[in-house]
Amino acid sequence: MERISYMKKIFTFAGILFATGILLTGCGGVKPDEFGWYHDLAAAKKEAQTKNKNILLLMTADDSDTESSKMKTAVFNTDEFTAAEKDAFVFCNLDFSQSEYAKGQAADGASEKEKKVAENAAARFNDNLKLATTYSITKTPCVLVLTKEGYMIAPIENDEETQTPSAYQALLDAESEKIGKVTDMVKATTVGGNVEKVRAIDTLYEATDTDYRYPLADLIRSVPALDEKNETGLVGKYVLATANADAMDAYMNKDVKGATDAFAKAAGSDKLSAEQKQQAYYTAGYILGSSGSQDYDTMLSYFQSAYDAAPESGYAVNIAQMITMIKAAQAQQSAGATAVPGGTEKPSEKEE
């Protein structure tokens, strides 16, 4: 169940960010700085689409790691680098420094104007936190090559030997073939009839690493409408992928119920195979359980529905074990609810 493991990875990372207070924010600049870098991805995407360029997305933590500021000084903020790459890319740098987060915290006694400035900075923080999750960012500095739509083309690895403009240009040049292939795949999703578009979307989806599929959400959501008769046989796959995207949207807004409901709703689609229904119900139960909920009745309902959907599947045994575990936890919860201090049992209402 590929998407289950994918969701688990993304949810875990996002959960760590929320729980530990790793606070990510950008500068919010809708115009490029003196080095040619935007600090707002939406503005960079708009420019990229206008100029028909790809995007070079640089994520840094200038005051929080040992490499970001050094790489910017040595490579990214040099005339040599920007002059060589400006015709191919729109540059976007999101800085995740703690100092950027601090801009979103209004001081005690702040004026209304200062509070508004801090409020806007905090909103940028939330937006960039979502972008960090969107692109599966786990460290800084991080460099990604994106299409003008914001779809992933390739992450660019950094090491001690790439600390010069020419060395980094060589890294980008090495990705030129992949850049061309992905650009062509994206273009194919916009031409031909609906069935051809669906097949092109599927080609792009399958060519994209699972960690980077969430940015394809707009294409993913379009498939069921493009292929209402399921001529491609792919609609069930994209009903599930749409649930995954909807769940990610909900989770990044800290809406666990919304994330759970996305898969429960998908499970009701008549376009899903038995095993796809099983996956949808299982994922709904998994998300609810991983949230720390003790709503065992709902969890059992999801897992039982998952088992019943395809009792002969390769996952059915594991799901049955999950059902047993949840029933045990439910029984323990029930036993605890009837206990009173001193180890005696609480009398029933009839006895009272």
Side-chain angles (χ1 to χ4, degrees):
M1 294 186 180
E2 174 204 63
R3 280 170 291 279
I4 292 176
S5 61
Y6 170 54
M7 289 289 291
K8 181 177 181 181
K9 179 176 180 180
I10 297 298
F11 278 17
T12 299
F13 174 58
I16 290 171
L17 292 178
F18 288 131
T20 62
I22 297 176
L23 305 167
L24 312 178
T25 184
C27 301
V30 295
K31 294 183 179 181
D33 63 21
E34 66 270 30
F35 302 108
W37 292 82
Y38 284 88
H39 297 278
D40 179 281
L41 184 56
K45 286 167 67 174
K46 183 177 180 180
E47 176 73 2
Q49 291 176 47
T50 298
K51 299 291 180 63
N52 195 30
K53 298 180 183 180
N54 292 313
I55 298 168
L56 190 67
L57 178 61
L58 169 65
M59 296 193 176
T60 56
D62 291 355
D63 65 11
S64 306
D65 66 42
T66 60
E67 295 297 323
S68 291
S69 59
K70 183 167 68 174
M71 285 196 66
K72 287 170 74 171
T73 299
V75 179
F76 300 118
N77 288 347
T78 65
D79 290 339
E80 180 181 349
F81 179 81
T82 56
E85 300 296 341
K86 66 181 182 181
D87 290 338
F89 298 105
V90 171
F91 306 128
C92 183
N93 173 213
L94 302 181
D95 184 44
F96 297 168
S97 294
Q98 291 295 324
S99 59
E100 291 297 322
Y101 162 67
K103 294 177 182 179
Q105 308 304 301
D108 292 341
S111 67
E112 289 303 313
K113 181 178 180 180
E114 290 169 334
K115 289 179 181 178
K116 185 64 176 178
V117 169
E119 181 181 328
N120 290 338
R124 290 195 298 272
F125 144 68
N126 285 328
D127 287 344
N128 283 354
L129 174 59
K130 292 174 183 178
L131 285 171
T133 304
T134 293
Y135 291 105
S136 299
I137 304 306
T138 58
K139 64 180 181 179
T140 56
C142 175
V143 182
L144 308 176
V145 178
L146 309 178
T147 69
K148 62 187 178 183
E149 298 85 3
Y151 307 150
M152 173 63 77
I153 296 177
I156 307 297
E157 294 298 326
N158 309 296
D159 57 40
E160 291 294 330
E161 297 180 359
T162 59
Q163 300 289 320
T164 66
S166 59
Y168 218 89
Q169 290 166 47
L171 285 179
L172 293 174
D173 288 345
E175 297 293 341
S176 60
E177 183 177 354
K178 185 173 184 179
I179 290 171
K181 285 182 177 179
V182 174
T183 301
D184 288 346
M185 283 190 283
V186 174
K187 184 177 180 180
T189 68
T190 66
V191 297
N194 286 353
V195 169
E196 287 79 11
K197 288 178 181 177
V198 170
R199 295 197 187 283
I201 290 169
D202 190 56
T203 297
L204 176 63
Y205 181 88
E206 289 299 329
T208 303
D209 187 276
T210 55
D211 283 351
Y212 303 121
R213 286 176 175 171
Y214 177 57
L216 298 173
D218 55 341
L219 293 177
I220 289 167
R221 292 187 176 108
S222 72
V223 169
L226 287 172
D227 188 10
E228 293 181 352
K229 296 182 179 179
N230 198 19
E231 294 177 56
T232 62
L234 294 168
V235 173
K237 174 180 178 178
Y238 286 95
V239 169
L240 275 180
T242 295
N244 191 78
D246 291 346
M248 282 292 297
D249 286 346
Y251 193 85
M252 286 195 288
N253 288 311
K254 304 181 184 181
D255 180 10
V256 175
K257 184 179 185 301
T260 302
D261 289 348
F263 280 98
K265 178 182 177 182
S269 171
D270 61 3
K271 299 296 193 297
L272 269 60
S273 68
E275 290 199 358
Q276 287 172 332
K277 284 181 179 292
Q278 182 174 82
Q279 182 172 337
Y281 279 124
Y282 177 89
T283 309
Y286 169 80
I287 295 171
L288 184 60
S290 66
S291 73
S293 171
Q294 293 187 348
D295 184 357
Y296 296 124
D297 286 342
T298 301
M299 272 183 257
L300 279 173
S301 174
Y302 288 144
F303 285 120
Q304 188 63 57
S305 294
Y307 181 86
D308 293 342
E312 302 301 321
S313 79
Y315 301 104
V317 172
N318 290 337
I319 295 171
Q321 291 174 345
M322 185 70 74
I323 291 170
T324 300
M325 290 171 59
I326 293 172
K327 286 182 176 179
Q330 187 180 44
Q332 186 176 20
Q333 180 190 58
S334 179
T338 60
V340 297
T344 60
E345 294 298 310
K346 180 179 177 180
S348 67
E349 290 183 2
K350 183 176 181 180
E351 290 171 333
E352 288 180 279

